[in-house]
Amino acid sequence: MSISRKQALQDVLERTPRIVERPDNKISNYYGENVFNLSRMREYLTDEACDGIVDAMENHTSISRAIADQVASAMKEWAISRGATHYTHWFQPLTGATAEKHDSFITPVANGQVIEKFDGSLLVQQEPDASSFPNGGIRNTFEARGYTLWDPTSPAFVWGETLCIPTIFISYTGFALDNKTPLLKALARVDDAATSVCQYFDKNVTKVVATLGWEQEYFLVDKALHAARPDLQMTGRAIFGATPAKGQQLDDHYFGSIPARATAFMKEFELECHKLGIPVTTRHNEVAPNQFECAPVFEEANLANDHNLMLMEVLEQVARKHNFRVLLHEKPYPGLNGSGKHNNWSLGTNTGVNLLKPGNNPKTNLRFLTFFVNTLAALEKHADIVRACIASVGNDHRLGANEAPPAIISAFIGSQLSELLDALEKSIKAGKLTPEDKTALKLEIGRIPEVLLDNTDRNRTSPFAFTGNKFELRAVGSTANCAVPMTVLNTIVAEQLTDFKVAVDARIESGDKKDDAILKELQKLISQSKAIRFEGNGYSDEWVKEAKKRGLSNLKNTPEALEVFNRKEVVELFEAQGVLRKEEVAARVEVELENYILKRQIECRVLMNMSRNMILPAAVRFQSGLLANVSQLNDVLGKDAGKYSEAQVELIKKAGQLIQDLHGACDQLESLHDEAESGKTQMVNARMFAEKVVPSMEHLAGVCGALEMLVDDADWPLPKFSELLFTR
Ligand code: ADP
Ligand code: MG
């Protein structure tokens, strides 16, 4: 339900911060209290059951029915003690959000009574009535049923009155219907591939995990003002609005002090996160007014991703308690900075080594270089897939909009590492390496930590930047499920490392020493992957031209980017790595396209309704007021009236022109919208939306913005950006 702007502004005046105290000053005393983690399992389970779980977590072994029963019963006891009455299999359908279907623990017994019951079979597998989740045709074609299966690598947690059990969601025939399943497969692949490459350096490495540290950006807006804007309510973004007199030009919001109501919100939000074992640590203002960011300590990628999804839910729910709404959209306000979700990524070993952190001797640095160069090579080879996996309706407004990484994928590594790679490329000669060559190389490689120490350049315009001990994928949108980019990144790196191992082994086979073989192969990869390295300003027009020369793609919108998944070699990559089958890739494209079209349709309709039913009447009222004024002046002043009504007449004409423009732009948008629904395939329709409908929407939005600047402020029906952004 919408409320009026006047009512909303009135409501805002009456707000006070909601203060919630922490149960304890020491966070560690309540951290993770709503999580059924390993230490809690040890309290509730036999050693044998615990070992079974640990084995399943670490080595992906299956869990026996007896152990599953024990775990289920312990989980239930613990969850009830934490206030839970229901349980749910918590999963990640292809829509990007999370889904759950709550069931109560109770089962009827004799005499009209009930008992709480939860056994292993309910824990391990469920059949949610989830026929309405998008599946890209997979379930229709093969088998209607979809199952959720317990993921024991991510701990169950209590949220509100529900025990949530992280699960994967697959069809009866084993096709993934979610985002977690392929992620888990990609993580297993990168583990295998990286572990075997690690064997060149350290035989003790038996496991490699991908690590993820995301940074979540979001906007807060007062609940009442949100309710007065149908576009915010239905699409998550303000489709139009005049830029406020004070925007982000002053940069005073960034790292400024956080306003009181927002601080109170953050305190409660962090409290809830900490109880859920989400290790959020940093909070600060972002570039735009009322924009904020939070980031946790990094974790194993699957867990980190579950935590991000939980966090988005916690954000929304806690925000409501504080009379705020949280905007996770990539571009909530045209003309202002949008929101992203940087994905910091690295690989860590069971021996405690970060493989993207330079060591302190030539041997560990060679290991660093190996993983560093292989990552660049993977990116160079598969840049288009990386672009495609971050494509979304909201991100289309952000990428390349001079505030976020461009749609062209490149990597920034800093000038010193660039020089080092260039030097290595030149200094490794064909044939056998002489002892002098080796000494020179060792010196070169030995300099890495020192090089990084003063590697202070922090290029913020790059979509993929090396930041000293990890890569940061910055092009991910704020609403995204990180599982999608993490699946892609880990898959392409897994493939690259596998190929690297084969190539190095072949060189060793034909007589090279191990280190020489590695160096020569790295040299080859350095030359091959040069095109992807870019140190300059990614926002500049020169880069667009330069990238074109280098043969890098610039896939400007979502449908264009999604086409990448239809390429034969892309499907083959996912199949060869065992991450996605061809049907699953195709299904994902269908779901994404459908999602894109639906969201654009909603935006169009909302914009047309607002234009016709809210803006147009306000503009006409404004013009009528002026007309009445002019005719009254005529009545009173007669022939002198002209002297005093010139401005009014100008404004009448201006309003008249904009009213015509508005009307015309609405009609044009309507017909393009209808045309974009009539294509033969989803791809055709999606492309029409991207190429024709979106520009037409932007045109109409521009007219609305111009009217906002003209019409009497008291008569304007919608909260303005200045109100949405500066209300604390
Ligand atoms: P920025 O300068 O990009 O704002 P922040 O300090 O806010 O940087 O965020 C850095 C992020 O990188 C944090 O989420 C942190 O947990 C993460 N991070 C640090 N080391 C690693 C690693 N080895 N693997 C993955 N993420 C990491
Ligand atoms: Mg960052």
Side-chain angles (χ1 to χ4, degrees), residues 215 342 344 460 472 474:
E215 302 161 52
H342 295 175
N344 295 274
R460 298 217 163 253
E472 180 171 9
R474 300 206 181 107

Side-chain angles (χ1 to χ4, degrees), residues 544-699:
V544 176
K545 287 181 209 135
E546 163 71 15
K548 199 170 175 188
K549 254 196 255 158
R550 293 190 191 185
L552 301 178
S553 306
N554 186 1
L555 304 169
K556 290 219 178 65
N557 56 50
T558 295
E560 224 182 289
L562 289 174
E563 287 273 22
V564 171
F565 288 116
N566 292 331
R567 292 182 196 163
K568 193 165 152 272
E569 69 274 16
V570 172
V571 175
E572 278 168 7
L573 163 78
F574 286 116
E575 289 221 305
Q577 292 302 311
V579 171
L580 287 166
R581 290 189 258 172
K582 67 175 188 299
E583 295 87 342
E584 293 171 317
V585 178
R588 262 142 239 266
V589 174
E590 283 304 297
V591 170
E592 289 297 328
L593 283 174
E594 185 173 16
N595 192 29
Y596 178 85
I597 294 170
L598 284 174
K599 289 195 170 146
R600 286 296 187 213
Q601 277 171 343
I602 296 171
E603 286 182 349
C604 267
R605 290 172 194 164
V606 170
L607 177 59
M608 287 190 292
N609 286 345
M610 288 170 79
S611 301
R612 286 174 172 152
N613 304 332
M614 298 175 97
I615 311 298
L616 195 76
V620 170
R621 273 198 302 276
F622 171 72
Q623 197 191 34
S624 301
L626 289 165
L627 283 165
N629 176 263
V630 171
S631 92
Q632 285 156 7
L633 283 172
N634 281 336
D635 290 350
V636 176
L637 301 177
K639 64 175 175 20
D640 278 346
K643 244 167 61 187
Y644 304 102
S645 58
E646 256 172 49
Q648 290 89 318
V649 172
E650 274 306 303
L651 289 172
I652 289 166
K653 288 186 190 159
K654 201 168 172 189
Q657 188 55 53
L658 285 170
I659 290 169
Q660 304 313 305
D661 292 350
L662 187 80
H663 182 70
C666 276
D667 286 353
Q668 188 210 37
L669 179 58
E670 186 163 26
S671 77
L672 287 171
H673 166 273
D674 293 349
E675 196 188 322
E677 284 185 325
S678 63
K680 282 216 167 61
T681 64
Q682 294 224 78
M683 184 57 88
V684 170
N685 286 347
R687 275 184 171 271
M688 269 199 280
F689 269 101
E691 288 155 20
K692 292 189 181 160
V693 177
V694 170
S696 170
M697 269 172 61
E698 275 163 8
H699 171 64

Side-chain angles (χ1 to χ4, degrees), residues 211 213-215 296-298 344 346 354 458 460 470 472:
T211 49
W214 39 263
E215 302 161 52
V297 178
F298 70 92
N344 295 274
S346 189
N354 174 355
R458 298 274 274 144
R460 298 217 163 253
K470 60 191 181 292
E472 180 171 9

